Amino acid sequence: MLLNKDLYKHHGYLKGLYLALKITIITMFKNILGLEKRMTLNYPEEKYFYSDRFKGKHVLTLKEDGSLRCTSCMLCATACPADCIHIIAADHEDKEVEKAPVAFEIELLRCVFCGMCEEACPVDAIRLTNEYTMSGFAERDWLIGIPELSQRSTLNNGKGIISTVDDHDRLKIKL
Amino acid sequence: MSEVKTTPPPPPAAPPVPKEKVKFLWNDKEIEAKPGSNLLKAALDNKIEVAHYCYHPGLSIAGVCRMCMVEQEGVPRPFPACNAVVTEGIKVRNDTAQIKAAVEWTLQLHLVNHPLDCPICDQAGECGLQDYYMKHGVYDSSMIDKKVHKDKVQDIGRNVMLDAERCILCSRCVRFTDEVTVTHEMGIVNRGDHSEITTNDSLKNYYAQNLVDICPVGALTSKDFRFKQRVWFLDDVDTTCIGCETGCSVKVSFNKNDAYRVKPVFDAAVNGYWMCDDGRSVYKHVGRADRLVTFMENRTGLFLPAIEKEVVGKLKEKKKNFILSTDLTNEEYAAFFSRLKGESVNVALYSLPEHKLEDGRDFDGLLRRSNKNANLKGAEAAFKKAGFDASEAALQTLVNNLKADDAIFIVMPEVVYNEDHLETLVKKVKNAGSKVALTSNEAFYFMKDFDYLLPLPTFLEKTGTMLNFKGLERKLNRAKNTWGEASKTVASYAELMFGE
């Protein structure tokens, strides 16, 4: 603690100022010479990475063949306290899949990042990532759809995140 | 020989007068029911929850699901309640350990080959399997064998989708097509765990959507409702179908501003447990994007939104003629005619033409009728009371006597079966100076000749009564949401035209 009140009490004003500046200057030289780790970072160029448990921007996971894992059961939309998930479901050409979303939109400005959608999902289709930088001007920038949710450039360079909870695996799990 | 003395036979004992109601005990709770009535129905009518799949009050007894097992004092073995009758003083229980184990095991056997694809199943939320699984389920499956897979996503006609895997073989659908429609399209084929329901060709009856209602699981789902909404988002409003003169009791399911489906509500006097497929789409015009919700004016072929005051100002000076439709409520007719008192005005009734059934009959013996006028009886009574003629001839006279300084207001029918018939009426009123259509539907192509289009509320946006073909009073209930600006009824238009 640099602002130590005892410093002034014991040494008086001028000596206190001198001692405080000494610490500042020593730390500055240590930082310049790289002897001590800096507490700050040059923000846009350098970024802080939170752990994977952080609740940030959403992602829709993919199956191994690259299609969406979401079955549009609407449980996330039901669990959502902010009512910010909008899904339109439709028939899928594959009978085994049967139901898939044609539109999956999240209103990021409404979202409270509580993670209830992630907990409600029965197939591990929606997750919250550790991505916390979001910016935009117009309201439409904050309404993100399937391409942005599943294959934006920050997710494995646009390849998306493949969920390992596969249909075959699910049958192995003892319910 | 002496005569053999024959003693006259004793007079037969008077037969015991059957009691109106008898009492019996169900889990120590005293229940009153008619002697000889169904035991399960007596329990269900008294708000006792008993798990059951195959029993349906509108169908015969099958006793195949074995979920409603009960024990009776003095009877050695448990038996299904749906196949037993009520007699006086019996003591029935279904809360003993033996019965609970029986239901648990039965449910587990039902679920052996069930795919458990609830996330993609439309029935989830109102599914018998889900409900009872939460109550009686054995959560750990003891099966090591793989599930038997059957054909999914089969379109079996008449907007019904079949998923054979989800079926628990309760045979309700089979009994429905055998007993109610007598078309025998559904059947159970194969043996053992390969049994599945199927159709002989495809469904062809006009009550097929009832199969979706009675299916306790997600095996039969509606193609029309498929994946549109999850059922837990929907709120039901009880109302009356305006598809024809039968006037079935129905409930319409809403989510926020939109209606999504129509289902029958039990009404012993009119429709019983069923309704026809035509009535299922009766809500469709309500939420349509092209539905009229503002005043529109015809500007040389282009309809543009108009200001209410200007429209009223232009029409006020002219002599007014009204043609009403037959699907307004009794209250609307009464309010309209009470406003007309003392005004010189002509009113006629346009009733929809007969729409013969597919085989040329007027009535198919169940519910469907060729007369599509929802409230013809009520309209005729209201016309008679107000001193107007509701006959076809009066309509023709009104149309033929139209002059260039007349204004004609036509209330368009809400559900139009025969557009050509309506078009001929519209063509006949060409002589009138101003032609105004009041519609709660979309704008039809032949309405291009009209000068003004004014919006009306639909049957889901008003409360009132109608009289069906028997003269029975049917109740319409306003759904909690309305659409657009269409809140003016015919009476409020009359007030606009004749008021200050």
Side-chain angles (χ1 to χ4, degrees), chain A residues 73 78 91 95 98-99 175, chain B residues 119 152 226 230 232-233:
Chain A
C73 67
T78 310
D91 268 285
K95 274 189 184 184
E98 197 172 342
K99 189 181 180 186
L175 291 169
Chain B
K152 292 175 88 74
R226 190 170 166 80
R230 299 320 300 259
W232 54 82
F233 292 132

Side-chain angles (χ1 to χ4, degrees), chain B residues 31-47:
Chain B
I31 291 179
E32 273 196 349
K34 264 190 180 172
S37 65
N38 191 298
L39 183 60
L40 178 59
K41 189 167 193 309
L44 295 174
D45 287 348
N46 283 280
K47 307 248 158 62

Side-chain angles (χ1 to χ4, degrees), chain A residues 1 16 37 43-44 46 48 56 58 65-66 70-72 77 89 98 106 111 119 122 124 131 139 147 155 159 161 171:
Chain A
M1 193 74 183
K37 201 188 166 221
Y43 169 59
E46 295 171 23
Y48 184 80
H58 315 69
D65 62 354
C70 175
T71 58
S72 59
E98 197 172 342
I106 294 180
C111 180
E119 281 188 42
D124 186 31
E131 226 174 285
E139 205 176 327
L155 304 170
K159 278 184 216 136
I161 292 177
L171 293 178

